[in-house]
Amino acid sequence: MLDPDRGLSLTIARVVQRLQGSSLHSQLERQARVSLHKPEIKLESLKEDIKDFLKTSGWEKKLQNAVYSELNMFPSPCHPAAPPEHIKEPLAYMRKAQGSWEKRILKSLNSMSTELNIPLAQKRPANEQKELLNKWNEMGTDEPDLSLFRPVYAPKDFLEVLMNLRNPNYENGEQPSFRNHLGLIQVPLKVKDIPELKEDFSELGLNIGQLGIDDSAQVPPEFFENEHVRVGQKVLAEQDSAAAQQYVRQGCPTALRADLWALILNISNQPEDILYYEQLKSNVIQHDLLVDSLIYKDVKLTASNDDYYFVFEDYLYQVLLCFSRDTSVLEHFTYSSATPPKSYIQGKLGMEEYAVFYPPNGMNFNYNSFILSVAPLCFLYHEPSKLYQIFREMYVRFFFRLHSISSHPSGIVSLCLLFETLLQTHLPQLFYHLREIGAQPLRISFKWMVRAFSGYLATDQLLLLWDRILGYNSLEILAVLAAAVFAFRAVNLMEVTSLAAAEAVLADLSTLKVMPLLQIFLFATVT
Amino acid sequence: FRIMAGKVKWVTDIEKSVLINNFEKRGWIQVAENEDWNFYWMSVQTIRNVFSVETGYRLSDDQIVNHFPNHYELTRKDLMVKNIKRYRKELEKEGSPLAEKDENGKYIYLDFVPVTFMLPADYNLFVEEFRKNPCSTWIMKPCGKAQGKGIFLINKLSQIKKWSRDSKTSSFVSQSSKEAYVISLYINNPLLIGGKKFDLRLYVLVSTYRPLRCYMYKLGFCRFCTVKYTPSTSELDNMFVHLTNVAIQKHGDDYNHIHGGKWTVSNLRLYLESTRGKEVTNKLFDEIHWIIVQSLKAVAPVMNNDKHCFECYGYDIIIDDKLKPWLIEVNASPSLTSSTANDRILKYNLINDTLNIAVPNGEIPDCKWNKSPPKEVLGNYEVLYDEEMAQSDGTDRDLRGRPGQSTGVKGSRARDSGKPVLTTWK
């Protein structure tokens, strides 16, 4: 075990290393230099004066936000001697499973490329480049022939892999009984129980005002809403990430949400960020990737048919095509259990100097789930480069965990296990009944969680849910909500006699109000 | 001969399931037009006959119909504009603060219809206006048609030469009202979402014009064009870019049959609040309610306020990029065809709530009733304006709507114009 001081100094070292050389660093230096001209900076107390200056001019706050952001993203170091793969994923069997899953996906992608005789990447001819540039803002109306492309994998394939995970060091010699875990996930990860969740999510308690509950038509705004909005405006004026993160646990007022999320994710849309986005855009114009067609196909299948998101179809293409070429995303692989697949320039197989990551951002999966995590953001940000950055940050902070196999408490494996455990512990009769009729609850709720409920809830409800994801810096709330939904529809579910009927009962979540459901499940259910 | 005492007998010209299902679920009995009926869902043709001098007949106290006899004062494009212009002039003459104008001579509160002229009658006036802004685009609409039929855009005088009254090449002989056109300044800076143009369809139920009592359906929707909007002149002919009517959009290559290119008004509200802020969004919706009420007030004096009548209008509104709403037109027979499953549910509920208000308790009506339904039966309707209540009590409103709700529509409230004592809602 690492002693706390050691851990702290390691963390500090890591944060310093990451921020060194960043644009914030150079801006701070520049500001410090500029301040030398100010009369209040005296040579005798240079260091103190500059520090004070940075504080009053708001630059210290920016640094604070950046540090806070780093702390949120990276796990605490386990031990200075821990190898890098332990930071990605401490459990060996998980790493192995993720590795085989990746191999499988890559194989599928390669065989598609061979079958269709389309290279994984190729430079676009000049006239095609020009054409694409012209219709950059309306790619949705261009319908290339996508019939031969198939998704790399379906969500249920991924679920199958998760179901088959086993810890080779764990021997469960007990006879299967009521007290054993009856669900699909059979790995012994630690998940929280309701008392622990109540503590973690204490701001969702019955005595605390919430947006999504206490701003409904029947409640006069003076009780909670007006004050909450006032506080929100203050938080924004202070530009304090940590305060914002605390604040959004009670929900964001719609008019403040875009700015609050940007503050929490530490996105400021600087000129260099816009430039970076434009650079990505030109990469898209110049080169055509095989995965582009997969993206097209998946956007057409999902967002174009969605009641809320169809309007933003074109933005989705722009964001996703750029994202697949964004190599800065490769950074997150240091703390993700996934590893970006490598591809080799034609004819140079195995020669490391000719290896490239494919696609450039290293992400290979079913874009389906992934597309739906961009779409809700279109309701908040209509400027493309800002939309892009917010999405990228949301992805490397949270959503990547839904697509890789890991032991992280916010990883999809833990979420599935948390969901099943909550259901089995608190609604055992329902769980048993569904299992008996061949309708394992996870089979239904998996798709909700893997998409963070996007495409299932009404947009305003989804945004209230994602407020809490940001506020608590965790995806566990997805599992809690999934269990709460089952609890809500328990009466109907007890009467069904087939998987199809159970699916039908849970098919339409668009009328659900998430905050009351969560509150009742966590705080008002007799356990 | 069995007497079905107490059961409402209905007739309909419009064979749509959303109507018929609603009648049947109330246990009403279908009868033929020439039999004794209590409730008749008429086409506009029929209402014309019923109230015409030659073929008309008196309705009895237990008969209700779904149109006002001269609804066209509101629902014909040329008459609507004429009535609004008249209304504004009257207010101006009596010195009402509503008719206040700005330094450019534009009405501050009553400028909600794009500049419009009748053709061929106002041709010369139109030309004068056109020459003030020769780069402007105008939209030509036939007065008597619907569903986007016969509409086209022009940006050159030569394109409408044949409507010139003294044109020698005019083969346009007949000046009957059927072939009359209105020409309006085209709003070429519509608010775009996702780069696409859209308009708003809102349903408004009027149970009486004097005193004015009207309800707004909370579940209106936005209709999106499938193709990206461009004001470029080369696309003037592409109706998919410019006209949002579903009847037109339906034939576009990209028309989607699942969501039908529609958004709910609450989606719109969420989007605007999130991207533009709450105050401007509230102001926009307030203005929308305002212009609807003003349009009804404008025609109220000329409407035949026959007590056998109620009417459910389809209001078409466009929002420009400065978040100003414009009234485009009012439809007397909003489409009851459903393009998607959600649509069908919406229209079914619309008719349901309409019938609950127009035919209280689903029983045989008495047209002399006070047309004041209790709050519980409103369903998804909200009181938009109640003249009687506004006159008796200035501040209290039926539903003090709350800003920022998912359903988004507010009941009538005092206008937040910041101007002193605008007794606008009385």
Side-chain angles (χ1 to χ4, degrees):
Chain A
M1 271 293 121
L2 201 58
D3 81 271
D5 289 335
R6 195 79 200 286
L8 182 59
S9 55
L10 268 177
T11 306
I12 294 175
R14 191 194 69 219
V15 173
V16 166
Q17 188 202 23
R18 279 191 52 83
L19 290 180
Q20 217 155 33
S22 70
S23 82
L24 179 63
H25 185 186
S26 42
Q27 280 174 328
L28 281 168
E29 276 189 2
R30 200 179 318 132
Q31 285 298 316
R33 231 173 284 131
V34 161
S35 77
L36 292 176
H37 297 294
K38 294 198 182 302
E40 58 264 22
I41 310 289
K42 304 206 176 16
L43 191 57
E44 314 83 71
S45 49
L46 188 65
K47 198 165 168 184
E48 293 311 315
D49 289 349
I50 292 187
K51 270 202 217 167
D52 284 337
F53 167 73
L54 290 176
K55 199 181 222 136
T56 50
S57 58
W59 281 96
E60 188 193 59
K61 185 59 39 105
K62 290 199 176 58
L63 179 61
Q64 243 175 11
N65 289 345
V67 172
Y68 191 66
S69 181
E70 291 295 324
L71 291 175
N72 268 335
M73 297 254 275
F74 281 80
S76 29
C78 37
H79 193 276
E85 59 258 25
H86 276 245
I87 300 185
K88 286 162 71 70
E89 170 51 57
L91 298 180
Y93 74 92
M94 288 275 182
R95 288 201 300 268
K96 190 148 165 262
Q98 172 67 15
S100 350
W101 175 238
E102 283 166 4
K103 275 206 194 66
R104 202 170 128 181
I105 295 178
L106 201 58
K107 197 162 155 214
S108 176
L109 200 63
N110 277 327
S111 66
M112 200 190 305
S113 167
T114 316
E115 254 175 55
L116 302 178
N117 202 19
I118 297 175
L120 293 178
Q122 65 183 351
K123 196 167 164 84
R124 265 188 241 276
N127 59 330
E128 240 187 73
Q129 285 193 31
K130 196 154 159 238
E131 207 188 303
L132 183 57
L133 191 58
N134 281 342
K135 59 172 179 47
W136 177 257
N137 287 324
E138 47 189 53
M139 283 187 269
T141 50
D142 179 48
E143 182 87 47
D145 181 16
L146 301 169
S147 50
L148 297 172
F149 292 97
R150 46 177 197 281
V152 179
Y153 66 85
K156 62 178 173 57
D157 298 330
F158 191 42
L159 179 58
E160 288 292 324
V161 170
L162 300 186
M163 278 162 51
N164 291 326
L165 282 175
R166 293 288 182 277
N167 182 348
N169 295 330
Y170 181 72
E171 176 57 54
N172 184 358
E174 291 174 19
Q175 296 291 342
S177 80
F178 247 116
R179 269 164 294 140
N180 281 12
H181 189 73
L182 297 174
L184 296 176
I185 305 294
Q186 295 289 334
V187 286
L189 292 176
K190 177 146 180 33
V191 290
K192 298 181 179 139
D193 57 14
I194 287 205
E196 285 173 300
L197 290 169
K198 267 163 116 151
E199 247 191 73
D200 279 358
F201 294 116
S202 57
E203 288 87 351
L204 302 184
L206 296 167
N207 295 331
I208 303 187
Q210 298 293 329
L211 288 185
I213 300 177
D214 301 295
D215 54 336
S216 72
Q218 293 80 30
V219 181
E222 301 83 55
F223 279 16
F224 167 70
E225 198 182 346
N226 287 348
E227 182 57 27
H228 191 63
V229 172
R230 241 190 309 274
V231 173
Q233 284 161 339
K234 255 187 105 189
V235 168
L236 281 175
E238 293 290 308
Q239 283 291 294
D240 186 333
S241 288
Q245 192 166 329
Q246 179 66 34
Y247 172 80
V248 304
R249 292 179 181 187
Q250 290 169 272
C252 291
T254 39
L256 305 180
R257 182 176 277 126
D259 289 335
L260 283 166
W261 285 19
L263 180 55
I264 295 173
L265 297 170
N266 208 26
I267 304 283
S268 49
N269 209 24
Q270 300 288 321
E272 59 258 24
D273 301 318
I274 301 178
L275 205 63
Y276 188 75
Y277 175 73
E278 291 298 319
Q279 182 69 38
L280 289 174
K281 180 174 160 185
S282 71
N283 286 352
V284 175
I285 306 287
Q286 285 171 5
H287 291 91
D288 181 16
L289 301 180
L290 176 65
V291 291
D292 290 351
S293 306
L294 298 175
I295 291 174
Y296 264 122
K297 182 156 194 153
D298 275 334
V299 172
K300 278 283 175 218
L301 280 177
T302 53
S304 310
N305 287 332
D306 186 282
D307 288 343
Y308 303 100
Y309 304 141
F310 71 91
V311 174
F312 303 117
E313 188 182 329
D314 297 324
Y315 288 5
L316 296 176
Y317 293 119
Q318 292 174 18
V319 167
L320 292 173
L321 291 179
C322 287
F323 185 70
S324 61
R325 289 156 174 75
D326 192 343
T327 49
S328 73
V329 173
L330 294 172
E331 258 177 28
H332 93 289
F333 284 112
T334 49
Y335 55 87
S336 161
S337 60
T339 308
K342 274 199 263 203
S343 184
Y344 297 90
I345 308 282
Q346 219 159 19
K348 313 273 188 211
L349 189 65
M351 297 165 72
E352 276 314 310
E353 42 296 13
Y354 291 98
V356 293
F357 293 116
Y358 187 83
N361 70 348
M363 308 257 135
N364 260 322
F365 37 39
N366 186 342
Y367 289 94
N368 211 279
S369 323
F370 181 64
I371 281 161
L372 290 175
S373 60
V374 186
L377 302 174
C378 297
F379 269 85
L380 301 175
Y381 307 98
H382 53 264
E383 207 252 291
S385 79
K386 190 139 189 214
L387 172 64
Y388 180 75
Q389 285 171 71
I390 297 275
F391 161 67
R392 181 179 59 185
E393 195 60 29
M394 289 284 277
Y395 188 78
V396 301
R397 253 197 224 206
F398 303 112
F399 296 137
F400 77 93
R401 298 200 192 277
L402 298 171
H403 306 124
S404 51
I405 304 174
S406 80
S407 60
H408 194 274
S410 275
I412 187 69
V413 184
S414 304
L415 295 184
C416 289
L417 188 58
L418 176 58
F419 163 74
E420 290 190 315
T421 311
L422 284 174
L423 209 59
Q424 198 185 345
T425 314
H426 300 286
L427 294 150
Q429 222 185 348
L430 176 64
F431 196 103
Y432 190 72
H433 168 73
L434 289 173
R435 189 171 174 270
E436 287 297 290
I437 61 167
Q440 275 276 7
L442 185 58
R443 287 198 191 280
I444 302 176
S445 66
F446 184 71
K447 55 187 181 292
W448 303 339
M449 293 191 288
V450 103
R451 290 169 182 160
F453 280 90
S454 174
Y456 296 102
L457 295 174
T459 313
D460 63 327
Q461 296 300 311
L462 185 74
L463 293 173
L464 288 167
L465 178 67
W466 286 16
D467 284 341
R468 274 70 180 193
I469 292 181
L470 282 160
Y472 291 103
N473 200 35
S474 143
L475 294 172
E476 286 160 313
I477 199 128
L478 298 177
V480 180
L481 180 61
V485 171
F486 272 73
F488 184 61
R489 300 236 168 121
V491 172
N492 291 14
L493 285 170
M494 284 303 290
E495 301 190 359
V496 301
T497 51
S498 70
L499 173 60
E503 301 256 22
V505 168
L506 295 166
D508 183 8
L509 306 185
S510 60
T511 51
L512 292 184
K513 301 272 179 259
V514 308
M515 297 320 299
L517 281 185
L518 285 168
Q519 220 179 43
I520 291 174
F521 187 77
L522 284 175
F523 296 97
T525 308
V526 178
T527 47
Chain B
F1 184 81
R2 273 165 69 206
I3 300 171
M4 298 285 232
K7 292 261 187 222
V8 172
K9 300 196 269 295
W10 61 273
V11 187
T12 181
D13 292 336
I14 319 266
E15 296 284 329
K16 291 284 175 204
S17 58
V18 296
L19 279 173
I20 298 177
N21 291 345
N22 265 299
F23 301 146
E24 288 178 353
K25 90 156 188 189
R26 285 166 170 74
W28 293 0
I29 317 283
Q30 182 172 23
V31 299
E33 194 224 322
N34 51 2
E35 296 178 62
D36 263 339
W37 52 263
N38 303 114
F39 186 89
Y40 195 151
W41 191 277
M42 296 181 172
S43 68
V44 290
Q45 184 69 38
T46 309
I47 191 82
R48 202 193 344 251
N49 294 341
V50 167
F51 281 89
S52 86
V53 173
E54 301 94 15
T55 58
Y57 52 91
R58 275 193 77 180
L59 294 175
S60 46
D61 283 358
D62 61 354
Q63 292 186 310
I64 301 257
V65 299
N66 66 320
H67 287 296
F68 284 92
N70 57 343
H71 62 81
Y72 42 79
E73 295 285 351
L74 180 64
T75 58
R76 261 185 62 119
K77 304 172 186 53
D78 53 348
L79 295 179
M80 176 189 87
V81 173
K82 196 176 100 195
N83 280 311
I84 289 176
K85 286 184 176 172
R86 189 209 78 243
Y87 172 68
R88 294 199 294 220
K89 284 248 153 33
E90 277 169 8
L91 285 176
E92 210 178 333
K93 224 186 315 191
E94 62 185 63
S96 160
L98 297 192
E100 203 179 316
K101 288 184 175 170
D102 66 14
E103 58 275 7
N104 297 323
K106 281 208 163 299
Y107 289 100
I108 301 181
Y109 308 111
L110 297 176
D111 178 32
F112 55 85
V113 177
V115 175
T116 301
F117 299 98
M118 320 309 168
L119 290 184
D122 296 339
Y123 182 79
N124 293 332
L125 287 171
F126 161 69
V127 170
E128 207 181 303
E129 186 69 36
F130 181 86
R131 292 209 168 110
K132 283 191 211 160
N133 301 302
C135 301
S136 51
T137 307
W138 295 74
I139 181 164
M140 280 281 279
K141 300 192 246 194
C143 289
K145 299 217 181 100
Q147 302 193 327
K149 295 199 192 82
I151 296 185
F152 59 98
L153 298 178
I154 62 132
N155 59 356
K156 292 200 260 294
L157 274 181
S158 54
Q159 291 162 319
I160 52 159
K161 258 285 166 5
K162 62 190 236 225
W163 274 272
S164 151
R165 279 173 98 191
D166 39 38
S167 159
K168 290 183 182 58
T169 60
S170 171
S171 54
F172 181 66
V173 173
S174 164
Q175 303 207 345
S176 74
S177 60
K178 273 219 189 79
E179 268 133 295
Y181 274 73
V182 290
I183 185 162
S184 308
L185 185 60
Y186 184 63
I187 296 164
N188 61 358
N189 62 331
L191 176 67
L192 302 179
I193 297 185
K196 300 183 173 70
K197 178 177 165 175
F198 69 97
D199 78 346
L200 270 180
R201 159 53 62 91
L202 298 169
Y203 295 105
V204 177
L205 170 62
V206 177
S207 50
T208 147
Y209 273 97
R210 292 184 302 275
L212 179 60
R213 193 168 296 129
C214 53
Y215 306 87
M216 167 102 100
Y217 202 62
K218 288 191 259 192
L219 308 178
F221 49 86
C222 308
R223 296 177 294 206
F224 282 88
C225 290
T226 48
V227 176
K228 267 278 174 7
Y229 179 77
T230 166
S232 127
T233 48
S234 58
E235 293 289 349
L236 280 185
D237 290 329
N238 185 346
M239 283 299 117
F240 295 117
V241 172
H242 295 284
L243 295 185
T244 54
N245 309 69
V246 174
I248 302 242
Q249 292 293 329
K250 238 173 34 174
H251 300 290
D253 286 330
D254 290 317
Y255 184 73
N256 184 296
H257 289 268
I258 293 182
H259 53 68
K262 289 181 180 156
W263 248 18
T264 60
V265 161
S266 48
N267 280 357
L268 175 66
R269 203 179 189 133
L270 176 66
Y271 176 82
L272 289 177
E273 273 184 18
S274 303
T275 54
R276 301 273 197 142
K278 195 125 155 188
E279 290 76 34
V280 301
T281 307
N282 284 348
K283 180 161 172 284
L284 168 67
F285 281 92
D286 269 352
E287 271 183 46
I288 291 175
H289 301 166
W290 170 256
I291 69 183
I292 294 176
V293 171
Q294 292 307 309
S295 68
L296 292 171
K297 282 191 162 194
V299 301
V302 303
M303 270 298 183
N304 177 351
N305 193 33
D306 192 306
K307 52 190 189 307
H308 303 93
C309 307
F310 72 92
E311 203 153 20
C312 179
Y313 299 107
Y315 267 75
D316 290 341
I317 291 182
I318 286 199
I319 305 172
D320 72 17
D321 60 12
K322 305 201 180 18
L323 289 199
K324 180 180 162 72
W326 295 93
L327 176 56
I328 302 299
E329 70 172 349
V330 184
N331 294 283
S333 302
S335 161
L336 295 177
T337 315
S338 312
S339 49
T340 66
N342 281 343
D343 210 33
R344 197 184 328 273
I345 295 173
L346 179 126
K347 287 179 178 157
Y348 177 85
N349 287 331
L350 173 69
I351 302 295
N352 187 38
D353 291 335
T354 305
L355 294 178
N356 283 343
I357 294 178
V359 186
N361 300 322
E363 288 165 355
I364 294 192
D366 176 1
C367 71
K368 296 214 229 8
W369 80 292
N370 69 354
K371 306 213 199 292
S372 233
K375 223 187 321 185
E376 302 82 58
V377 314
L378 294 183
N380 287 312
Y381 275 110
E382 265 185 336
V383 176
L384 179 59
Y385 184 67
D386 187 331
E387 189 169 9
E388 224 167 31
M389 222 174 338
Q391 274 165 354
S392 64
D393 180 339
T395 53
D396 196 23
R397 293 284 175 270
D398 229 24
L399 282 167
R400 191 179 293 280
R402 296 203 57 237
Q405 290 311 301
S406 310
T407 48
V409 172
K410 291 201 283 293
S412 55
R413 31 173 255 218
R415 183 164 166 73
D416 280 347
S417 63
K419 288 257 157 194
V421 195
L422 258 188
T423 56
T424 57
W425 290 96
K426 292 205 204 291

